[in-house]
Amino acid sequence: MPDRPAATRRTVLRGAALTPVAGLGLAACSPGGQGAGPAAPTAPVTLGAESEVPKGGAKLYRDANVVVSRAADGSLKAYSSICTHAGCAINKLSGTTLICPCHGSEFDALDGKVVQSPASVPLTELSVEVKNGGIVAGPAS
């Protein structure tokens, strides 16, 4: 580009730098980037040992898109860990707070309720039971 004025070179470079950034923003907002995003279980799935979930705590099963929590009385609850705002898979659990990586929505893993927007709808509750010492969760029947 030696025969072009410096101002033209800057304009071309500036435009080229914006294209990848804009594309990344769109990919983050689109669940899965290819149409269908991550999904909650459509059938019961075995997650792990019942002992993995402490009283008053929660465990995130990223591969199954499920979070399981245990109340102080020992009862279990399970929720889809797909954010209700834009359909992103939630990949972080801090204490009993689930944090969505896409837009920062936060949910309480004990009751599925939104604790920080932009999400405004609670997580989808799943049925949960213990079979042979393992936690099994799936769509509510």
Side-chain angles (χ1 to χ4, degrees), residues 32-51:
Q34 299 289 329
T42 56
V45 291
T46 301
L47 300 170
E50 179 186 13
S51 60

Side-chain angles (χ1 to χ4, degrees), residues 43-130:
V45 291
T46 301
L47 300 170
E50 179 186 13
S51 60
E52 293 178 342
V53 184
K55 284 187 179 181
K59 174 141 174 79
L60 177 60
Y61 296 92
R62 288 184 186 100
D63 292 344
N65 294 318
V66 174
V67 63
V68 177
S69 62
R70 184 184 302 274
D73 68 4
S75 62
L76 295 174
K77 289 216 171 211
Y79 298 93
S80 164
S81 60
I82 301 300
C83 182
T84 58
H85 170 249
C88 297
I90 297 171
N91 63 2
K92 184 175 181 185
L93 178 66
S94 178
T96 59
T97 301
L98 292 157
I99 304 164
C100 180
C102 293
H103 301 107
S105 293
E106 295 183 7
F107 301 86
D108 185 332
L110 298 175
D111 61 16
K113 292 182 181 175
V114 176
V115 294
Q116 181 170 312
S117 60
S120 59
V121 176
L123 295 173
T124 301
E125 188 167 358
L126 304 172
S127 65
V128 63
E129 61 183 323
V130 177

